[in-house]
Amino acid sequence: MNKDFALVILYDLTLTIGSEVTLDKLLPKVMQRFLFHLSYPVGLILKRDTSNSQYHQIIDSVGDYSFTSLKTEHQSVLITGVGHEPCLSTNAQLLSTFSQRRKYTQAAWFPIDGEYSYLFLTDSTLETDIPLNEVFSPVIRNLARAIGLCQRSEQLTQNLTQDRDEARAELAKTLQKVEHERAFLTSLKNTIPDLVWLKDKDGIYLSCNPKFEALFGHKESEIVGKTDFDFVSKELAEFFRAHDKRAMYAGKAMQNEEWLRFAADGYEGLFQTTKIPMYDDKGALLGVLGIAHDITELKAAQDRLQLSASVFRSAREGIMITSPEGKILEVNDMFCSITGYVREEAVGQNPRILNSGRHSQAFYQHIWASIKDRGHWSGEIWNRRKNGEEYPEVLTITAVKDAQGTLTHYVALFADITEIKRQQRELERMAHFDPLTGLANRSLLADRLSQGMYGVKRRSQSLAVAFLDFDGFKLINDQFGHQTGDQLLSIVAGRMSSLMREGDTLARWGGDEFIAVFMDLHTNGDAEHLLQRLLKEVEKVVEINSKQLKISASIGVTYYPQSEDVDADQLLRQADQAMYQAKLAGKGRLHTYDPQADKLVRGHNEAIENVLSAIHQDQFELFYQPKVNMRTGELIGLEALLRWRHPERGLLPPSVFISTIENHPIAIDVGHWVLNRAIKDIQYLESEGIHTKVSINVSALELQQPDFVGHLSETLSNAQGVKPGQLELELLESSALQDINQVSDVLRAVQLLGVTSAIDDFGTGYSSLTYLKRLPAQTLKIDQSFVRDMVMDAEDVAILEGIIGLAKAFDRQLIAEGVETIDHGVMLLQLGCELGQGYGIARPMPLNQLLGWLTNWTPNPRWQAVHVITEEDRPLFFAGIEHRAWAAALEEYLRGMRKAPPPLGETQCQFGKWLNKFIAARTNTQSHYAHLVGLHHRIHQHASSLVSLNTDNKPEKALAGLPALHEMKSEFLLQLEALLR
């Protein structure tokens, strides 16, 4: 048995397993297929004896009638010499057990689950290249699951039978109750307040009831003896008389609908009138009995019901209505189409007829708990059609209650999502492989290339990335059609794939373009040899539909690693550029990327073209990062941050493309787009009741444009509902310093429009008093490089104090960027900076996510409790920073990132020196002081023990003690924070 034959067997057995749903048919049918494929003459179905696991009962047999008596008498046989996995056995004791009528020399043992097994016997020998366990374990597992499903199906059938009997009994009780109530309803009918009257054959009233009196506004005594002409208009009286005659001439009851206005109260309604000819016992006509029933509300209800029924029938979702007890009351056409049950089969049943058996009891308990708590449940579920086919559906169950809140019924709406699930599976397959050639696609290529780059660098080897483009393929495609072109691509791709080494990757990039990645190269010549073979393989003639087709390939190749650090995208671009050079050099050849020569070739221009294309195709988006008052939680503004939704590379940050267009005129176009988009987003926020300021980044090139202020003014004047004060311009400090006189003039002109301005990344340029005095910006934004390391860098904190002082001195609003943690916010508030922006508050987000963030945003409680430190507090404040840095240095030492540990003595660290001098004076009780001193002591004692473990060559134990150190450190810093409040 070879691998290909094994696959055929597995496929056939898998189809067989899926074709039966009952155990008594499933096991024999699968056994027959085993016998067919293995060519064994005899097969047995065995069931393990519950009293002795080595004995098995023969459930069924094929090929040897001597086993029939053992099967009939339910005798058990001893099975020895086999294990728990499929195997071939020549065990003499095992074979002798079954060699009663004929001698067997080999047995094939297939245990299915803990209960059933197959045993096949032969007097020859089965030869196989691969172990039976490897071949048949998957299908045996599937068979075991199928047995479980059959057993559950049989149990489900018993349950459904029981439910059916219970439903019938319940129906009988209901019918008895209905019959009992029928007599009561008959008596009620006689008291229904309909209009009742009696006329003789000439139309003279003989009698009427009180309701009819209200119609004419007269007593019965005043009506009797008169005709309709005495009470209503001639036209209406003639109408009444015509219908009287119609009934008398017909000799049977006749109905008509008519609008009647009551003289007593002016009520007007639609009535259904029935007129019945009355005869004496001799058959002589006496007159007409009339009964008029008010159907005004009924008619309106019928119209509504007709509309509802039309919606019910025409809905594209399956609809099922059940009683509170779970009995199906009604279903629509789509229900029948999806489930396979006709209406008559479903009505009266329990929805359990659709149960697939896939879900646990806990799953259904969760559903009903949700319906009980919220009145509805929605989700995905697997159900079973009438033909046994399982299918996924999106289901919504709603509990319907009457005006008194009493549950009246349940309504279930569902849609079959089998096709959607199939498409999802297909998409998952398509996500990694090209459907035409079966080669890796871009996604899989990116993953393998990234892993390959990491691997070869670690192993000090190299890899090659080759970009292949077929020459002459377009001509063939145009001349012979896309079908021939696809066949050609598939054949050539298969040929190329056969030349790839194990570990290499060949991927289809798109169209007639392919990417090859060659791993673990010792020299560049290794790859060039392989690529030359690819060139020759591509050039071989391909015959399709008796046509001799020939193409060639242009290949560009680059290598990794390089002298400069490059990523996977850069390697692909380099190979693409090299391929283009191969095309220019005459096609059908190989060109190696030269980093120095090709570095400037088309790169910059292509990037510019891509950005221009992104503007025209509306691929840019604005994300917004909130700026807040960290103490109060108030939203003070939003910074608009540009993102590029690239069709191939996904969402790109500005760092990927802004540097490319810097100082290029296209930067002005991008700036205009940002301004217009921000204005539209402000209008949207206003419509949602959010009144805030949006800041946009402005480049130095934009500020240098003569029409900058005019364009801004015109844009704002055309922006309905947007005030100039709702827009803020942010410019980099370095940009402002390029021409401070010109920038100052622009900002003053902008300020006259009502637009504010802010200096971004403040502190990174040449901040000076003169600079602040001359530049009319209202807000300074502290660069995040100072904020990011402030928790452990006292120098950064000192710079921050200086910037805060400058902002106060020049009456500038100050906001800190880079607030990434709660500790950053606490320290900034302690320094007197209340406004912040950063990941610790919110990441940049699309506009549609901003509303949800605003609803849920609250400042951290620690921020609300912080006080600004005094001059007296500064040593203690800086001591906390030193302590964080000390703990970080200790961890770096334990992780091998520095040679020596920080000072370990309690009085050696700067914090220890400050502790005795300042904390004792700030604690209210001796116990609190003792707790801080004790905690400080335990921190240093624990640190010393970790250093000792590391010194004793026990680094794992030392690292395992770091979490305890960090926990004590955090507790200690919280105590210090409390002292500073």
Side-chain angles (χ1 to χ4, degrees):
M1 181 187 301
N2 57 31
K3 186 174 181 181
D4 292 337
F5 183 56
L7 289 175
V8 173
I9 296 176
L10 289 179
Y11 179 77
D12 178 64
L13 290 176
T14 300
L15 292 178
T16 303
I17 291 171
S19 66
E20 294 295 340
V21 296
T22 59
L23 194 59
D24 58 348
K25 293 182 179 179
L26 174 65
L27 289 175
K29 190 168 183 178
V30 174
M31 178 176 68
Q32 292 286 357
R33 301 312 299 166
F34 264 112
L35 289 173
F36 173 78
H37 289 297
L38 296 179
S39 299
Y40 272 44
V42 178
L44 302 175
I45 302 175
L46 304 178
K47 183 177 182 182
R48 188 179 296 278
D49 195 317
T50 56
S51 59
N52 189 331
S53 62
Q54 289 188 320
Y55 283 82
H56 293 68
Q57 291 182 355
I58 298 177
I59 303 304
D60 201 356
S61 65
V62 172
D64 191 338
Y65 67 84
S66 63
F67 299 126
T68 304
S69 59
L70 294 177
K71 177 180 70 173
T72 305
E73 298 168 4
H74 301 291
Q75 294 187 15
S76 296
V77 294
L78 177 64
I79 302 299
T80 60
V82 294
H84 300 290
E85 299 290 340
C87 66
L88 296 175
S89 175
T90 57
N91 183 277
Q93 184 177 357
L94 173 65
L95 294 171
S96 65
T97 302
F98 297 94
S99 299
Q100 298 180 10
R101 188 173 65 86
R102 56 192 289 189
K103 180 175 179 62
Y104 299 109
T105 59
Q106 188 183 62
W109 169 252
F110 292 89
I112 303 172
D113 55 8
E115 187 175 8
Y116 292 97
S117 305
Y118 284 134
L119 183 67
F120 303 101
L121 302 170
T122 183
D123 50 9
S124 59
T125 301
L126 173 66
E127 295 183 358
T128 177
D129 299 331
I130 47 181
L132 288 186
N133 180 40
E134 180 179 335
V135 176
F136 292 104
S137 287
V139 76
I140 291 299
R141 287 195 296 270
N142 286 340
L143 180 56
R145 285 193 288 269
I147 289 174
L149 289 174
C150 289
Q151 291 171 337
R152 289 194 291 274
S153 176
E154 292 169 357
Q155 181 62 44
L156 178 61
T157 301
Q158 295 176 4
N159 292 342
L160 290 175
T161 302
Q162 181 180 353
D163 291 343
R164 180 200 62 197
D165 294 340
E166 293 175 356
R168 287 176 175 173
E170 182 67 22
L171 179 60
K173 291 180 182 179
T174 302
L175 291 174
Q176 184 179 7
K177 182 179 179 181
V178 169
E179 187 62 30
H180 175 74
E181 293 175 348
R182 188 184 302 276
F184 175 71
L185 292 175
T186 301
S187 64
L188 286 179
K189 180 184 64 175
N190 296 329
T191 62
I192 292 176
D194 289 340
L195 285 73
V196 181
W197 68 93
L198 183 63
K199 299 179 184 178
D200 66 12
K201 57 185 179 181
D202 297 321
I204 299 174
Y205 282 96
L206 303 175
S207 178
C208 65
N209 69 345
K211 186 68 175 178
F212 189 85
E213 293 176 348
L215 175 65
F216 285 170
H218 292 278
K219 294 294 185 181
E220 181 183 11
S221 58
E222 299 171 342
I223 297 173
V224 172
K226 297 179 181 179
T227 68
D228 292 317
F229 292 92
D230 296 314
F231 301 100
V232 297
S233 66
K234 179 182 178 182
E235 292 78 12
L236 185 57
E238 290 176 346
F239 174 81
F240 289 160
R241 184 57 181 165
H243 283 281
D244 291 343
K245 292 180 178 179
R246 188 165 69 98
M248 290 188 290
Y249 294 157
K252 61 181 181 180
M254 302 294 289
Q255 288 185 342
N256 67 279
E257 294 180 1
E258 53 196 13
W259 286 90
L260 301 178
R261 179 183 295 276
F262 282 67
D265 56 9
Y267 170 75
E268 184 176 14
L270 179 65
F271 284 77
Q272 183 182 63
T273 300
T274 302
K275 295 188 175 181
I276 309 167
M278 303 297 293
Y279 301 91
D280 61 15
D281 54 358
K282 296 181 180 180
L285 180 65
L286 297 176
V288 177
L289 172 66
I291 302 173
H293 177 65
D294 190 345
I295 60 169
T296 308
E297 289 297 327
L298 176 62
K299 196 68 174 178
Q302 287 177 344
D303 292 341
R304 292 193 296 270
L305 283 174
Q306 186 175 1
L307 177 60
S308 299
S310 176
V311 173
F312 184 76
R313 289 191 305 269
S314 305
R316 301 309 301 162
E317 296 84 14
I319 303 176
M320 174 176 61
I321 302 173
T322 74
S323 66
E325 296 76 26
K327 184 167 64 175
I328 299 176
L329 302 178
E330 189 59 86
V331 297
N332 71 343
D333 294 343
M334 186 54 67
F335 171 96
C336 300
S337 175
I338 293 175
T339 66
Y341 289 95
V342 298
R343 178 184 177 279
E344 290 72 18
E345 293 174 325
V347 171
Q349 297 289 338
N350 189 285
R352 282 194 294 269
I353 62 174
L354 305 175
N355 194 323
S356 67
R358 285 199 178 200
H359 303 293
S360 65
Q361 187 66 27
F363 175 79
Y364 293 104
Q365 289 173 351
H366 168 73
I367 290 177
W368 290 109
S370 176
I371 295 173
K372 181 179 179 181
D373 294 341
R374 298 187 296 171
H376 63 88
W377 177 86
S378 295
E380 290 187 8
I381 190 172
W382 280 86
N383 271 340
R384 189 190 305 274
R385 308 186 206 276
K386 180 183 177 181
N387 62 8
E389 177 189 354
E390 296 177 0
Y391 66 97
E393 68 180 31
V394 174
L395 171 65
T396 297
I397 303 176
T398 303
V400 180
K401 299 180 180 180
D402 59 18
Q404 290 72 39
T406 302
L407 178 66
T408 59
H409 53 276
Y410 295 104
V411 175
L413 285 82
F414 62 93
D416 187 346
I417 58 172
T418 301
E419 182 61 21
I420 295 175
K421 289 292 186 181
R422 186 195 67 76
Q423 292 175 356
Q424 287 178 348
R425 291 192 298 270
E426 180 65 18
L427 288 174
E428 290 172 0
R429 187 188 69 80
M430 293 171 60
H432 294 96
F433 293 94
D434 175 55
L436 175 63
T437 63
L439 299 177
N441 64 5
R442 291 190 179 198
S443 175
L444 184 56
L445 170 69
D447 181 60
R448 290 183 179 177
L449 180 55
S450 298
Q451 293 182 18
M453 292 171 66
Y454 172 77
V456 296
K457 197 169 185 179
R458 180 170 52 84
R459 295 188 293 271
S460 299
Q461 293 179 321
S462 63
L463 64 78
V465 178
F467 199 113
L468 295 83
D469 184 271
F470 292 160
D471 308 319
F473 175 77
K474 184 178 184 302
L475 181 62
I476 292 175
N477 210 34
D478 293 342
Q479 184 176 354
F480 299 107
H482 294 295
Q483 185 175 2
T484 299
D486 287 347
Q487 288 181 287
L488 178 63
L489 283 177
S490 182
I491 293 171
V492 177
R495 291 179 177 179
M496 292 192 298
S497 181
S498 67
L499 299 180
M500 303 300 289
R501 305 171 306 165
E502 184 177 358
D504 295 341
T505 297
L506 180 63
R508 187 183 181 199
W509 188 249
D512 60 346
E513 297 176 334
F514 296 82
I515 302 291
V517 179
F518 300 99
M519 297 293 300
D520 299 328
L521 302 175
H522 298 291
T523 66
N524 293 353
D526 296 341
E528 292 179 3
H529 171 70
L530 293 169
L531 290 170
Q532 290 295 342
R533 292 181 61 191
L534 283 179
L535 283 173
K536 293 179 180 178
E537 192 67 32
V538 173
E539 291 174 354
K540 290 182 179 179
V541 174
V542 177
E543 182 174 343
I544 299 176
N545 298 329
S546 301
K547 300 180 182 69
Q548 302 291 319
L549 306 178
K550 181 177 174 59
I551 57 174
S552 62
S554 296
I555 302 179
V557 62
T558 187
Y559 296 91
Y560 177 86
Q562 300 177 2
S563 59
E564 296 182 2
D565 190 23
V566 293
D567 58 23
D569 285 340
Q570 289 174 292
L571 286 177
L572 293 171
R573 288 196 297 271
Q574 290 175 0
D576 187 16
Q577 292 176 18
M579 182 276 295
Y580 181 71
Q581 295 301 316
K583 290 272 190 186
L584 294 178
K587 303 179 180 179
R589 64 191 65 224
L590 171 67
H591 181 82
T592 301
Y593 176 79
D594 184 347
Q596 299 302 323
D598 294 344
K599 188 173 183 179
L600 300 178
V601 175
R602 294 175 303 164
H604 185 71
N605 290 336
E606 288 181 1
I608 294 297
E609 288 295 327
N610 289 337
V611 173
L612 184 61
S613 176
I615 295 175
H616 294 327
Q617 298 180 21
D618 199 23
Q619 294 174 358
F620 284 127
E621 299 178 11
L622 287 184
F623 276 40
Y624 289 92
Q625 188 172 38
K627 298 183 284 188
V628 303
N629 186 307
M630 295 181 287
R631 188 182 302 279
T632 65
E634 176 190 1
L635 177 70
I636 64 166
L638 301 167
E639 180 177 0
L641 299 169
L642 187 61
R643 297 291 186 268
W644 184 356
R645 185 74 65 178
H646 197 282
E648 297 175 355
R649 299 169 61 190
L651 191 66
L652 302 180
S655 58
V656 175
F657 56 89
I658 286 297
S659 59
T660 304
I661 64 174
E662 191 174 11
N663 298 322
H664 190 281
I666 197 174
I668 300 172
D669 297 330
V670 173
H672 288 171
W673 184 93
V674 171
L675 174 62
N676 292 328
R677 181 72 262 177
I679 291 295
K680 291 179 181 178
D681 289 347
I682 292 174
Q683 291 172 326
Y684 171 75
L685 291 172
E686 284 290 320
S687 69
E688 294 293 328
I690 300 173
H691 312 293
T692 190
K693 179 180 294 187
V694 171
S695 58
I696 61 173
N697 292 279
V698 181
S699 67
L701 183 62
E702 290 180 83
L703 293 175
Q704 295 168 7
Q705 301 307 305
D707 64 340
F708 175 79
V709 177
H711 177 263
L712 178 62
S713 175
E714 181 181 357
T715 302
L716 288 171
S717 63
N718 294 330
Q720 186 176 2
V722 177
K723 300 177 182 178
Q726 292 178 276
L727 183 68
E728 183 176 64
L729 306 182
E730 289 191 16
L731 60 154
L732 293 176
E733 181 181 2
S734 56
S735 299
L737 291 174
Q738 290 181 9
D739 188 344
I740 191 170
N741 293 326
Q742 190 263 344
V743 171
S744 297
D745 291 341
V746 171
L747 293 186
R748 289 190 185 93
V750 166
Q751 189 173 2
L752 291 176
L753 295 177
V755 178
T756 59
S757 57
I759 304 300
D760 199 7
D761 295 347
F762 185 78
T764 58
Y766 299 95
S767 306
S768 67
L769 298 178
T770 303
Y771 157 64
L772 280 178
K773 182 179 179 181
R774 296 178 59 188
L775 204 59
Q778 291 79 22
T779 302
L780 304 179
K781 299 188 72 176
I782 305 174
D783 183 66
Q784 58 181 320
S785 62
F786 302 119
V787 178
R788 184 186 305 112
D789 299 327
M790 66 181 294
V791 294
M792 290 188 295
D793 192 328
E795 292 183 355
D796 278 347
V797 175
I799 293 174
L800 286 171
E801 284 189 304
I803 294 174
I804 292 171
L806 284 174
K808 290 181 179 178
F810 286 90
D811 192 24
R812 300 288 199 272
Q813 186 183 57
L814 190 68
I815 182 169
E817 295 182 303
V819 181
E820 297 182 354
T821 66
I822 302 302
D823 288 339
H824 284 104
V826 169
M827 295 181 66
L828 286 166
L829 288 165
Q830 289 174 329
L831 292 173
C833 179
E834 295 190 346
L835 307 183
Q837 174 184 353
Y839 285 6
I841 298 168
R843 290 177 174 270
M845 66 191 80
L847 191 63
N848 57 7
Q849 296 179 12
L850 182 63
L851 301 181
W853 180 87
L854 289 172
T855 302
N856 300 319
W857 155 250
T858 55
N860 189 274
R862 287 177 58 194
W863 292 354
Q864 296 174 314
V866 169
H867 295 289
V868 179
I869 62 172
T870 62
E871 185 65 28
E872 185 182 0
D873 293 328
R874 292 183 79 255
L876 185 60
F877 176 74
F878 279 92
I881 298 173
E882 292 287 346
H883 186 70
R884 286 190 182 89
W886 175 83
L890 178 63
E891 180 172 358
E892 290 177 355
Y893 165 72
L894 295 177
R895 295 189 183 279
M897 300 168 64
R898 57 183 292 168
K899 294 182 179 180
L904 299 176
E906 296 177 48
T907 59
Q908 289 179 293
C909 72
Q910 190 65 33
F911 185 81
K913 296 176 183 178
W914 284 326
L915 181 64
N916 294 328
K917 183 176 180 181
F918 292 103
I919 294 186
R922 291 182 175 276
T923 53
N924 297 326
T925 64
Q926 188 66 24
S927 62
H928 187 57
Y929 173 72
H931 175 70
L932 287 172
V933 172
L935 185 57
H936 183 242
H937 171 72
R938 290 198 303 275
I939 291 173
H940 280 272
Q941 190 177 43
H942 186 65
S944 298
S945 66
L946 298 184
V947 172
S948 298
L949 287 171
N950 195 64
T951 305
D952 294 339
N953 293 323
K954 299 177 181 178
E956 295 84 1
K957 291 186 177 181
L959 291 173
L962 279 175
L965 177 71
H966 289 313
E967 185 176 351
M968 287 188 287
K969 177 200 72 175
S970 298
E971 181 183 356
F972 194 80
L973 291 173
L974 287 174
Q975 294 290 335
L976 292 181
E977 185 180 320
L979 289 176
L980 293 172
R981 294 175 184 168

